[in-house]
Amino acid sequence: MDEHGTLTAPDDPTLVLLTVEEAARRLRIGRTTCFALIRTGELESIDVGRLRRVPADAPAEYVARRRAAKRAA
């Protein structure tokens, strides 16, 4: 259940935007680490009013960039 009382699955393919907590769960990292990645620009996020949301494809893009960087090193 999310903060608004609705049932949502963090891996729901119909979601366009994720909460920071949902993005953190997808990446299997903590909320604080996820906010740190957002703060440094490594993980894309947008403001929706006063809310911070992560595009649903951003976690996978972050992982892809990390994997490409590791292969290039």
Side-chain angles (χ1 to χ4, degrees):
M1 198 172 293
D2 68 10
E3 67 269 16
H4 301 291
T6 51
L7 293 173
T8 58
D11 56 351
D12 181 352
T14 62
L15 294 177
V16 176
L17 296 173
L18 306 171
T19 65
V20 174
E21 290 79 8
E22 290 168 338
R25 275 196 300 271
R26 285 193 180 187
L27 290 168
R28 302 294 195 262
I29 61 175
R31 181 178 175 271
T32 303
T33 301
C34 195
F35 271 112
L37 292 174
I38 289 169
R39 197 171 17 265
T40 62
E42 294 179 75
L43 181 63
E44 180 187 1
S45 72
I46 62 170
D47 291 324
V48 179
R50 294 176 55 192
L51 304 173
R52 173 71 51 187
R53 293 293 183 255
V54 176
D57 59 347
E61 289 174 2
Y62 166 74
V63 171
R65 282 193 310 275
R66 293 291 306 257
R67 292 178 79 188
K70 184 175 181 178
R71 280 192 292 265

